[in-house]
Amino acid sequence: MRIGELARRTAVSTRALRYYEEQNLLTAERSDSGQRHYSETAVDRIRLIQQLYTAGLSSKTIAELMPCVIDGKATPELLDRLAVERDHIDQHIADLTHTRDRLDSVIAGATANMHTGTSCRQNTVA
């Protein structure tokens, strides 16, 4: 199928499909005139790519994961890699939560300073 048909069937823009090719997430055969032609399996591949993007994974990570999918089916390697990605997200959330808590402490100190004139440094947590 040509790029326009793949775009319609997957609700993904032709620009995004070209980007996927640039990122080695998708391959197309080229006609003598240079037109892209995709196999029927490209539809499922695009849907998987979209799911992984929606899950917050980068193009690079998705490209690394794609060999772990065989004929559209998950493999143990894919599940292991996805779990590692989830763990990275959990750590990032923990880091952001810690940062937010520190900012809350600074805000509390600044609020106290504004109302009482006491030093902000006395009210912040190290």
Side-chain angles (χ1 to χ4, degrees):
M1 82 187 80
R2 292 178 49 188
I3 193 168
E5 181 181 349
L6 182 59
R8 280 187 298 281
R9 289 181 59 186
T10 59
V12 173
S13 71
T14 56
R15 183 177 181 183
L17 295 175
R18 288 184 194 102
Y19 174 78
Y20 295 167
E21 280 190 58
E22 290 172 10
Q23 300 301 308
N24 297 314
L25 302 175
L26 182 66
T27 57
E29 298 293 322
R30 295 287 187 144
S31 68
D32 291 338
S33 63
Q35 293 180 333
R36 292 172 171 88
H37 291 277
Y38 299 92
S39 69
E40 190 63 32
T41 60
V43 173
D44 289 334
R45 187 173 185 92
I46 296 301
R47 289 182 180 138
L48 175 60
I49 291 167
Q50 288 298 111
Q51 287 177 335
L52 295 172
Y53 271 128
T54 301
L57 302 182
S58 68
S59 300
K60 180 182 177 197
T61 300
I62 294 170
E64 292 170 358
L65 290 174
M66 293 312 280
C68 298
V69 177
I70 300 172
D71 297 327
K73 295 185 170 77
T75 63
E77 293 82 9
L78 175 65
L79 297 175
D80 289 346
R81 288 294 313 271
L82 291 172
V84 167
E85 290 302 319
R86 183 199 55 229
D87 292 346
H88 288 160
I89 291 169
D90 285 344
Q91 183 59 54
H92 189 63
I93 290 168
D95 293 344
L96 287 172
T97 300
H98 178 72
T99 300
R100 184 201 56 214
D101 293 347
R102 302 250 343 212
L103 182 56
D104 284 345
S105 176
V106 170
I107 291 168
T111 301
N113 173 264
M114 189 172 76
H115 294 298
T116 65
T118 60
S119 171
C120 292
R121 290 187 193 142
Q122 294 174 355
N123 294 317
T124 59
V125 176

